[in-house]
Amino acid sequence: MAEATTARLADADVEARFVRLDQALDSLESAPGPTTRTATEAVALLTEVYGEALARVLDRADEQLAERLAEDELLGHLLVLHDIHPEPAERRAARAVERLRPAVQERGGDVEWAGVEGQVARVRLTTGGGGCGSGCGGGGDEVTDAVRAAVLAAAPELTSVEPLTETAPAFVPLTTLTHRSAP
Protein backbone atom coordinates (compact mmCIF):
# COMPACT_ATOMS: atom_id res chain seq x y z
CA MET A 1 0.00 0.00 0.00
CA ALA A 2 1.48 3.37 -1.04
CA GLU A 3 1.84 6.03 1.61
CA ALA A 4 0.09 9.32 0.94
CA THR A 5 2.32 12.33 1.34
CA THR A 6 1.00 15.67 2.39
CA ALA A 7 2.70 18.77 1.06
CA ARG A 8 4.14 20.92 3.83
CA LEU A 9 3.95 24.68 3.90
CA ALA A 10 7.13 26.64 3.37
CA ASP A 11 8.13 28.90 6.27
CA ALA A 12 7.12 31.98 4.25
CA ASP A 13 3.65 30.48 3.68
CA VAL A 14 3.29 29.76 7.40
CA GLU A 15 4.29 33.35 8.19
CA ALA A 16 1.73 34.66 5.65
CA ARG A 17 -0.96 32.59 7.35
CA PHE A 18 -0.02 33.99 10.75
CA VAL A 19 -0.34 37.51 9.37
CA ARG A 20 -3.75 36.68 7.90
CA LEU A 21 -4.81 34.99 11.15
CA ASP A 22 -3.88 38.12 13.13
CA GLN A 23 -5.89 40.24 10.70
CA ALA A 24 -8.91 37.93 10.92
CA LEU A 25 -8.80 37.86 14.73
CA ASP A 26 -8.46 41.66 14.90
CA SER A 27 -11.45 42.00 12.57
CA LEU A 28 -13.44 39.48 14.59
CA GLU A 29 -12.66 41.11 17.93
CA SER A 30 -13.76 44.53 16.67
CA ALA A 31 -17.18 43.29 15.52
CA PRO A 32 -19.94 43.72 18.11
CA GLY A 33 -22.48 41.13 19.14
CA PRO A 34 -22.99 37.64 20.52
CA THR A 35 -21.79 35.93 17.33
CA THR A 36 -18.41 37.56 17.79
CA ARG A 37 -18.17 36.34 21.39
CA THR A 38 -19.09 32.82 20.28
CA ALA A 39 -16.55 32.82 17.45
CA THR A 40 -13.81 34.18 19.74
CA GLU A 41 -14.63 31.52 22.34
CA ALA A 42 -14.52 28.82 19.64
CA VAL A 43 -11.03 29.96 18.56
CA ALA A 44 -9.83 29.97 22.20
CA LEU A 45 -11.24 26.48 22.83
CA LEU A 46 -9.72 25.12 19.63
CA THR A 47 -6.35 26.61 20.61
CA GLU A 48 -6.58 24.93 24.04
CA VAL A 49 -7.38 21.56 22.48
CA TYR A 50 -4.47 21.81 20.04
CA GLY A 51 -2.20 22.80 22.94
CA GLU A 52 -3.32 19.74 24.86
CA ALA A 53 -2.64 17.57 21.80
CA LEU A 54 0.91 18.98 21.54
CA ALA A 55 1.46 18.37 25.25
CA ARG A 56 0.41 14.73 24.81
CA VAL A 57 2.80 14.33 21.89
CA LEU A 58 5.62 15.63 24.12
CA ASP A 59 4.55 13.31 26.94
CA ARG A 60 5.02 10.34 24.61
CA ALA A 61 8.23 11.57 22.96
CA ASP A 62 11.64 10.50 24.14
CA GLU A 63 14.19 13.21 24.91
CA GLN A 64 15.76 13.15 21.44
CA LEU A 65 12.40 13.51 19.67
CA ALA A 66 11.29 16.27 22.06
CA GLU A 67 14.49 18.20 21.22
CA ARG A 68 13.93 17.73 17.48
CA LEU A 69 10.33 18.91 17.78
CA ALA A 70 11.39 21.96 19.80
CA GLU A 71 14.11 22.85 17.27
CA ASP A 72 11.53 23.25 14.51
CA GLU A 73 10.76 26.98 14.36
CA LEU A 74 6.98 26.64 14.03
CA LEU A 75 6.66 23.84 16.58
CA GLY A 76 8.99 25.66 18.95
CA HIS A 77 6.80 28.77 18.85
CA LEU A 78 3.67 26.69 19.43
CA LEU A 79 5.30 24.89 22.36
CA VAL A 80 6.18 28.28 23.87
CA LEU A 81 2.65 29.58 23.21
CA HIS A 82 1.18 26.66 25.15
CA ASP A 83 3.84 26.89 27.88
CA ILE A 84 5.06 23.34 27.24
CA HIS A 85 8.45 23.93 25.63
CA PRO A 86 10.86 21.32 27.02
CA GLU A 87 13.76 23.80 27.29
CA PRO A 88 13.90 26.62 29.83
CA ALA A 89 13.57 30.18 28.52
CA GLU A 90 17.16 31.00 29.48
CA ARG A 91 18.59 28.22 27.31
CA ARG A 92 16.44 29.19 24.30
CA ALA A 93 17.41 32.85 24.66
CA ALA A 94 21.12 32.00 25.00
CA ARG A 95 20.94 29.91 21.82
CA ALA A 96 19.27 32.81 19.97
CA VAL A 97 22.14 35.08 21.00
CA GLU A 98 24.71 32.52 19.83
CA ARG A 99 22.95 32.28 16.44
CA LEU A 100 23.21 36.06 16.04
CA ARG A 101 26.81 36.29 17.14
CA PRO A 102 28.46 35.75 13.71
CA ALA A 103 26.30 38.49 12.13
CA VAL A 104 27.14 40.93 14.94
CA GLN A 105 30.84 40.08 14.61
CA GLU A 106 30.64 40.80 10.87
CA ARG A 107 29.52 44.31 11.81
CA GLY A 108 32.60 44.79 13.99
CA GLY A 109 30.97 44.04 17.33
CA ASP A 110 30.20 41.08 19.51
CA VAL A 111 27.32 39.77 21.58
CA GLU A 112 27.48 37.30 24.46
CA TRP A 113 24.81 35.84 26.69
CA ALA A 114 25.08 37.25 30.23
CA GLY A 115 22.13 35.45 31.85
CA VAL A 116 18.69 36.20 33.24
CA GLU A 117 17.74 38.19 36.32
CA GLY A 118 14.09 37.63 37.15
CA GLN A 119 12.33 37.96 33.81
CA VAL A 120 15.00 40.20 32.25
CA ALA A 121 17.55 38.81 29.80
CA ARG A 122 21.00 40.35 29.85
CA VAL A 123 23.43 40.34 26.95
CA ARG A 124 26.93 41.75 26.77
CA LEU A 125 26.99 43.81 23.60
CA THR A 126 30.14 45.32 22.15
CA THR A 127 29.65 47.64 19.25
CA GLY A 128 32.39 48.47 16.80
CA GLY A 129 33.27 52.06 17.37
CA GLY A 130 36.16 53.92 18.87
CA GLY A 131 36.99 56.55 16.31
CA CYS A 132 35.86 54.94 13.10
CA GLY A 133 33.18 57.56 12.60
CA SER A 134 29.68 57.13 11.25
CA GLY A 135 30.89 55.51 8.05
CA CYS A 136 31.74 52.21 9.73
CA GLY A 137 28.21 50.90 9.58
CA GLY A 138 28.32 49.69 13.19
CA GLY A 139 24.57 50.17 13.55
CA GLY A 140 24.56 49.83 17.35
CA ASP A 141 20.82 50.50 17.71
CA GLU A 142 20.06 48.17 14.81
CA VAL A 143 22.13 45.40 16.38
CA THR A 144 20.55 45.96 19.81
CA ASP A 145 17.06 45.82 18.28
CA ALA A 146 17.90 42.62 16.38
CA VAL A 147 19.26 40.97 19.53
CA ARG A 148 16.21 42.06 21.54
CA ALA A 149 13.81 40.74 18.87
CA ALA A 150 15.63 37.40 18.59
CA VAL A 151 15.74 36.83 22.35
CA LEU A 152 12.08 37.72 22.92
CA ALA A 153 11.00 35.60 19.94
CA ALA A 154 12.84 32.60 21.39
CA ALA A 155 11.68 33.24 24.97
CA PRO A 156 8.59 35.46 25.01
CA GLU A 157 8.06 34.72 28.70
CA LEU A 158 10.98 37.07 29.38
CA THR A 159 9.79 40.66 29.76
CA SER A 160 12.76 42.54 28.36
CA VAL A 161 16.35 42.42 27.18
CA GLU A 162 18.96 44.70 28.70
CA PRO A 163 22.19 45.12 26.78
CA LEU A 164 25.32 45.61 28.85
CA THR A 165 26.97 47.81 26.25
CA GLU A 166 30.67 48.26 25.77
CA THR A 167 32.50 50.12 23.01
CA ALA A 168 35.45 48.38 21.44
CA PRO A 169 38.63 50.43 21.57
CA ALA A 170 39.77 52.11 18.38
CA PHE A 171 42.28 50.20 16.31
CA VAL A 172 45.76 51.54 16.96
CA PRO A 173 48.45 50.25 14.60
CA LEU A 174 51.30 48.55 16.42
CA THR A 175 53.87 50.72 14.61
CA THR A 176 52.50 53.88 16.31
CA LEU A 177 53.15 52.30 19.69
CA THR A 178 56.69 51.12 18.94
CA HIS A 179 57.91 54.07 16.83
CA ARG A 180 59.04 57.19 18.65
CA SER A 181 59.38 60.44 16.84
CA ALA A 182 62.55 62.44 17.28
CA PRO A 183 62.32 65.40 19.70
Side-chain angles (χ1 to χ4, degrees), residues 2-10 17:
E3 242 181 79
T5 58
T6 303
R8 299 288 175 224
L9 294 175
R17 281 166 175 75

Coordinates of all heavy atoms in Angstrom, one line a residue, residues 2-10 17:
A2 N 0.7 2.2 -0.9 CA 1.5 3.4 -1.0 C 1.1 4.4 0.0 O -0.1 4.5 0.3 CB 1.3 4.0 -2.4
E3 N 2.1 5.0 0.6 CA 1.8 6.0 1.6 C 1.5 7.4 1.0 O 2.2 7.8 0.0 CB 3.1 6.2 2.5 CG 2.9 5.9 3.9 CD 4.1 6.1 4.7 OE1 4.4 7.2 5.1 OE2 4.8 5.1 5.0
A4 N 0.5 8.0 1.4 CA 0.1 9.3 0.9 C 1.0 10.3 1.6 O 1.3 10.3 2.8 CB -1.4 9.6 1.3
T5 N 1.5 11.3 0.8 CA 2.3 12.3 1.3 C 1.5 13.6 1.3 O 0.8 13.9 0.3 CB 3.6 12.5 0.6 OG1 3.3 12.7 -0.8 CG2 4.5 11.2 0.7
T6 N 1.7 14.4 2.3 CA 1.0 15.7 2.4 C 2.0 16.8 2.2 O 3.1 16.7 2.9 CB 0.3 15.8 3.8 OG1 -0.6 14.8 3.9 CG2 -0.4 17.1 3.8
A7 N 1.8 17.7 1.3 CA 2.7 18.8 1.1 C 2.8 19.6 2.3 O 1.7 19.9 2.9 CB 2.3 19.6 -0.2
R8 N 3.9 20.0 2.7 CA 4.1 20.9 3.8 C 4.3 22.4 3.4 O 4.7 22.6 2.3 CB 5.4 20.5 4.6 CG 5.4 19.1 5.1 CD 4.4 19.1 6.3 NE 4.3 17.7 6.8 CZ 3.2 17.2 7.1 NH1 2.0 17.8 7.0 NH2 3.1 15.9 7.5
L9 N 3.9 23.3 4.2 CA 3.9 24.7 3.9 C 5.4 25.2 4.1 O 6.0 24.8 5.1 CB 3.0 25.5 4.8 CG 1.5 25.3 4.7 CD1 0.8 26.1 5.8 CD2 1.1 25.7 3.3
A10 N 5.8 26.0 3.2 CA 7.1 26.6 3.4 C 7.0 27.6 4.5 O 5.9 28.1 4.8 CB 7.5 27.4 2.1
R17 N 0.3 33.0 6.7 CA -1.0 32.6 7.3 C -1.1 33.2 8.8 O -2.2 33.5 9.2 CB -1.0 31.1 7.4 CG -1.5 30.5 6.0 CD -1.3 29.1 5.9 NE -1.8 28.5 4.7 CZ -1.3 28.6 3.4 NH1 -0.2 29.4 3.3 NH2 -1.8 28.1 2.4

